[in-house]
Amino acid sequence: MYNDGNFYFWMYPSVIQSGREWLLYFRNELKFWVYKEENHEINFDREVDLEVTDAVKAIGVPFEKEEKYNEAIANNFPGSIREIYKSKDKTIVIYTKGISEDLTREIDRDEPDGRRELEKLKQNYVAVFDADFNLLQKGIPVPAGLIFTTIITEDEEILALKHPDFFETEDDYVIYYKLKLLN
């Protein structure tokens, strides 16, 4: 996406290091890149695509018109990787397919109720890859109303925070959930 010459605002990657393996992904892309650390160098190994064909695509603008970017994306909520987790023998990716422009056009995101409605429309999914980054399964729905941490436990449980705005509650305590993939 970013190699098309357009401006997409945020072009900095997220990087996850797991041993001698480095995973890199960009905002609003549904693929990531694997790098291997060898002889004090980090070398490109492969590109891994989530193979999601029905996601909303990000909108970019030519660099000469970057001042029009916010106007162009006003109703664009593209698919995106939320988090990547490395377990002993799997890579787990949390992602969203985005929200269609038809739906977002009808919601006022400047109002608290509108922002809450957008949060409720965001559906998160899981994609699972084996140790060699072969896609095992994708499109596994995740319970709504969670904010994903970067933590995966030794028992391969992903920690997620209960999103208070999503549930419209104000608890006196913070609630975390443990999510685990079952075969």
Side-chain angles (χ1 to χ4, degrees), residues 164-180:
D165 291 343
F166 181 89
F167 292 103
E168 300 179 42
T169 60
E170 226 175 281
D171 298 321
D172 290 335
Y173 42 86
V174 177
I175 299 172
Y176 281 92
Y177 296 100
K178 290 181 179 180
L179 303 171
K180 186 171 178 90

Side-chain angles (χ1 to χ4, degrees), residues 107-120:
I107 298 170
D108 183 2
R109 68 178 177 187
D110 293 327
E111 294 296 321
D113 288 343
R115 287 192 295 275
R116 226 179 337 271
E117 186 63 30
L118 285 171
E119 278 301 315
K120 290 182 179 184

Side-chain angles (χ1 to χ4, degrees), residues 55-123:
V56 175
K57 303 282 188 228
I59 294 173
V61 297
F63 269 89
E64 313 78 66
K65 297 183 181 183
E66 61 87 16
E67 71 278 357
K68 300 208 182 270
Y69 179 75
N70 287 335
E71 181 183 326
I73 66 150
N75 295 305
N76 183 237
F77 288 81
S80 183
I81 292 176
R82 297 286 185 206
E83 286 296 336
I84 299 179
Y85 303 93
K86 288 291 295 178
S87 72
K88 295 171 192 112
D89 60 348
K90 291 183 196 73
T91 300
I92 302 163
V93 181
I94 307 288
Y95 68 95
T96 180
K97 295 179 183 181
I99 307 170
S100 79
E101 248 182 80
D102 294 337
L103 289 173
T104 60
R105 239 185 246 114
E106 299 173 14
I107 298 170
D108 183 2
R109 68 178 177 187
D110 293 327
E111 294 296 321
D113 288 343
R115 287 192 295 275
R116 226 179 337 271
E117 186 63 30
L118 285 171
E119 278 301 315
K120 290 182 179 184
L121 290 171
K122 291 178 188 174
Q123 172 63 56

Side-chain angles (χ1 to χ4, degrees), residues 118-148:
L118 285 171
E119 278 301 315
K120 290 182 179 184
L121 290 171
K122 291 178 188 174
Q123 172 63 56
N124 289 307
Y125 298 92
V126 174
V128 182
F129 296 85
D130 67 13
D132 295 319
F133 298 100
N134 297 305
L135 181 61
L136 300 174
Q137 193 169 355
K138 65 180 179 184
I140 304 167
V142 176
L146 301 177
I147 299 171
F148 293 92

